[in-house]
Amino acid sequence: NRINGIFAEYEATGLSVANRDGKLHIVTDEAITFRSGSARLSSAERNAIDAMGEQLAGSNVRLLLEGHTDNKQFVSDSGSDNWDLSYRRAKAVATRLIRAGVSPENIIVAGAGEYDPLSDNGTSEARSENRRTEILPNPALGDLMNNN
């Protein structure tokens, strides 16, 4: 089964891959969430990301880091918006992983802005769930198509 073989490389590094609502995620020891308007990682999040980076150092495991925001808008003319903030959140995670030894060539940083929420943004608790960075497996899938 070639699909399982592709993800075996992730598991060989000690990472766990989980299906959440049809989307594969790499499980972290600490959820990577943010305060409103911030891209700053907490101490516990930095430690969890550093540990993951040490596991991945020297491997060829590819990752997609996807930043997200809630639906709260910035003050107009502030020079920033939720697209920028979501990208900065993902980049903060990428920077930590690279410092821990992950090759930058194996990381893609993306920002989804407010457009892929986990919750409805109707309460402060729901908005806090949406302020996150997700770590997704990003394997090269071209071989599946080429070997049919």
Side-chain angles (χ1 to χ4, degrees):
N1 188 322
R2 283 185 275 159
I3 292 176
N4 286 337
I6 288 171
F7 292 104
E9 185 175 6
Y10 290 84
E11 292 174 357
T13 64
L15 297 179
S16 298
V17 178
N19 179 349
R20 293 186 194 151
D21 298 322
K23 195 174 182 182
L24 292 177
H25 290 79
I26 294 176
V27 179
T28 57
D29 291 337
E30 183 77 21
I32 303 171
T33 59
F34 299 87
R35 289 190 332 257
S36 185
S38 175
R40 188 169 185 190
L41 296 162
S42 72
S43 176
E45 291 163 341
R46 288 190 304 269
N47 291 339
I49 294 165
D50 291 348
M52 177 185 284
E54 290 170 11
Q55 284 179 282
L56 292 171
S59 77
N60 289 321
V61 169
R62 296 169 38 119
L63 303 172
L64 170 61
L65 308 176
E66 189 176 89
H68 299 267
T69 67
D70 59 26
N71 66 345
K72 294 295 182 185
Q73 301 301 311
F74 284 79
V75 176
S76 61
D77 298 328
S78 69
S80 191
D81 60 23
N82 281 336
W83 286 108
D84 296 328
L85 179 57
S86 63
Y87 173 81
R88 288 195 326 264
R89 288 175 173 170
K91 187 172 181 286
V93 174
T95 299
R96 293 301 299 196
L97 288 170
I98 292 165
R99 282 185 194 159
V102 176
S103 173
E105 291 86 11
N106 291 329
I107 296 175
I108 294 176
V109 175
E114 65 200 71
Y115 301 106
D116 189 17
L118 289 177
S119 297
D120 67 4
N121 284 305
T123 66
S124 61
E125 293 81 20
R127 285 189 296 277
S128 71
E129 290 178 21
N130 294 329
R131 298 188 298 262
R132 69 198 189 279
T133 292
E134 297 177 341
I135 301 175
L136 310 167
N138 189 33
L141 298 175
D143 287 343
L144 289 178
M145 191 167 137
N146 294 333
N147 291 324
N148 278 339

